[in-house]
Amino acid sequence: MIQEEVIILAIESSCDDTSAAVLRGRKVLSNIIAGQKVHEEYGGVVPELASRAHQQNIVPVVQSALNHAGIAPGDLDAVAFTLGPGLIGSLLVGVTFSKALAMALNIPLVQVDHLEAHVLAHFIEGQHPAPPPFPFLCLTVSGGHTQILRVDSPFDLHIIGNTIDDAAGEAFDKAAKIMGLPYPGGPLIDKLALQGNPEGIRLALPRIPDLDFSFSGLKTSFLYHIRDHLKENPAYIEERRNDLAAAMQQAIVKSLIEKLILASKKTGIRHIALAGGVSANSHLRKTVVDTGREKGWTTYIPEFRYTTDNAAMIGIAGWFKYHEGIFTDQLATPYASASGRPAGNPKSSG
Ligand code: KG4
Ligand code: ZN
């Protein structure tokens, strides 16, 4: 068998999606995702409920991924899984399952960092005419993270900008919650904003030096704006829902783009990628492409199915490690935050 044809089963369970994928080389044969509706009414992910749902989903999801790929367990060359960052109770389900399966099949285990995987999803076969060349910049925007990374190799990712408080996805989700919309609010805000007009709704834009981000002030400004208008008009949210969504979305995207432009200017790098759940946002995608055209960037916008959490991205990150012989053992323990990660990448280069 030639090296590229290694068959990897990948497992992702870091937050509220249970996902399994099968890859042959860099090609995705299947990518099954089971979401968890149980969190909708709570305005955010409830960790205890998430781990229970993973427990119920993991076996059927893996079975479905193997079936769709037409691969038998005995055909697998390795199991790749998310070790962190994420919710410990959720991670433990995927980690324990992966260890047990690898032990039963007597095949290697590959541990993957969730954030690294969002970035490396760009190397999945067929997404772009050519994957981004090194070095490139990646704006990773998700429910838990907002970072600009300089990617020097698949194993050399440097965080050059980070949020000092909320993540961009959290800002979307909290704004939705303020308007009484269910979790996750990001996709809903995106949809409502298409019919809205942001003009006339003034929100306080973040003013943070250098390449870092902040979204908590913006969220408070959104909350106060609504609170003040509700005093005069109790139907304010219903009447202006689309406009409010458009204003919040515009503010978040403006702040992200400003920093991305600055990062490109500072580093001189013009290959620019987007990653993470918020990279599904239609306004962000369009703004990055338009800005890229203006600034002479080559932009890499992920396919929708690889933006939010999925196991295919864990598979491609595992594929890189497999070829370097970077395996893990049965002692690997999950980590909740990037700072709790065992030595490796992504590194913070300040
Ligand atoms: O990467 P992801 O699936 O999970 C984490 O690792 O956090 O990202 C989930 C986040 C949620 O905050 C969700 O509201 C946001 O991505 N999101 C969006 C859109 N689709 C998902 N935010 C804005 N517009 C969207 N279309
Ligand atoms: Zn994610």
Side-chain angles (χ1 to χ4, degrees), residues 300-319:
Y300 301 84
I301 311 294
E303 282 181 23
F304 280 109
R305 58 190 158 155
Y306 303 132
T307 55
T308 46
D309 291 349
N310 67 89
M313 70 184 194
I314 306 303
I316 190 73
W319 178 85

Side-chain angles (χ1 to χ4, degrees), residues 12 14 114-115 118 142-143 276-277 307-309 313:
E12 154 65 30
S14 65
H114 181 88
L115 291 169
H118 269 301
S142 73
T307 55
T308 46
D309 291 349
M313 70 184 194

Side-chain angles (χ1 to χ4, degrees), residues 11-30:
I11 311 273
E12 154 65 30
S13 73
S14 65
C15 192
D16 60 339
D17 293 304
T18 319
S19 182
V22 179
L23 279 78
R24 187 194 296 272
R26 293 194 300 117
K27 188 175 162 57
V28 176
L29 301 182
S30 64

Side-chain angles (χ1 to χ4, degrees), residues 15-276:
C15 192
D16 60 339
D17 293 304
T18 319
S19 182
V22 179
L23 279 78
R24 187 194 296 272
R26 293 194 300 117
K27 188 175 162 57
V28 176
L29 301 182
S30 64
N31 184 31
I32 307 294
I33 304 166
Q36 302 180 355
K37 289 214 167 293
V38 66
H39 309 289
E40 274 181 10
E41 60 184 291
Y42 297 98
V45 177
V46 184
E48 168 106 11
L49 297 178
S51 37
R52 288 187 202 183
H54 282 303
Q55 196 71 58
Q56 290 174 338
N57 291 342
I58 188 88
V59 170
V61 164
V62 169
Q63 196 60 62
S64 173
L66 290 169
N67 291 347
H68 276 81
I71 294 292
D75 299 331
L76 297 172
D77 293 304
V79 181
F81 64 98
T82 309
L83 191 61
L87 302 169
I88 291 295
S90 291
L91 288 163
L92 274 170
V93 178
V95 172
T96 309
F97 180 91
S98 302
K99 285 180 179 178
L101 186 66
M103 186 184 264
L105 296 172
N106 197 22
I107 53 176
L109 268 175
V110 185
Q111 74 185 51
V112 168
D113 180 273
H114 181 88
L115 291 169
E116 209 170 287
H118 269 301
V119 177
L120 297 176
H122 285 285
F123 293 85
I124 290 171
E125 196 174 296
Q127 260 203 104
H128 307 297
F134 301 106
F136 65 92
L137 295 181
C138 187
L139 172 67
T140 306
V141 268
S142 73
H145 299 88
T146 300
Q147 305 177 330
I148 299 178
L149 297 120
R150 195 187 68 237
V151 188
D152 292 325
S153 87
F155 309 105
D156 216 0
L157 295 83
H158 300 267
I159 300 165
I160 59 170
N162 213 340
T163 181
I164 59 165
D165 42 54
D166 292 349
E170 241 175 315
F172 273 105
D173 296 337
K174 286 180 177 172
K177 193 177 177 185
I178 292 168
M179 291 198 287
L181 300 170
Y183 175 87
L188 294 168
I189 297 231
D190 191 349
K191 208 168 144 203
L192 297 174
L194 291 173
Q195 316 291 328
N197 180 0
E199 298 311 317
I201 297 176
R202 252 179 239 115
L203 300 173
L205 285 178
R207 293 194 189 286
I208 302 294
D210 215 21
L211 295 176
D212 287 335
F213 302 91
S214 165
F215 292 104
S216 74
L218 176 61
K219 175 200 67 193
T220 308
S221 152
F222 187 72
L223 179 68
Y224 288 177
H225 173 91
I226 289 187
R227 188 195 59 185
D228 294 346
H229 284 79
L230 280 177
K231 281 183 197 151
E232 288 151 27
N233 175 10
Y236 185 67
I237 296 180
E238 286 92 274
E239 286 173 11
R240 305 279 318 263
R241 188 168 273 140
N242 296 347
D243 299 339
L244 287 164
M248 188 63 177
Q249 177 175 273
Q250 188 186 57
I252 295 170
V253 170
K254 187 162 189 274
S255 153
L256 293 172
I257 290 292
E258 271 173 10
K259 299 295 178 152
L260 201 49
I261 293 172
L262 185 59
S264 170
K265 204 169 151 197
K266 282 185 119 178
T267 59
I269 297 172
R270 288 180 173 190
H271 288 275
I272 312 284
L274 261 187

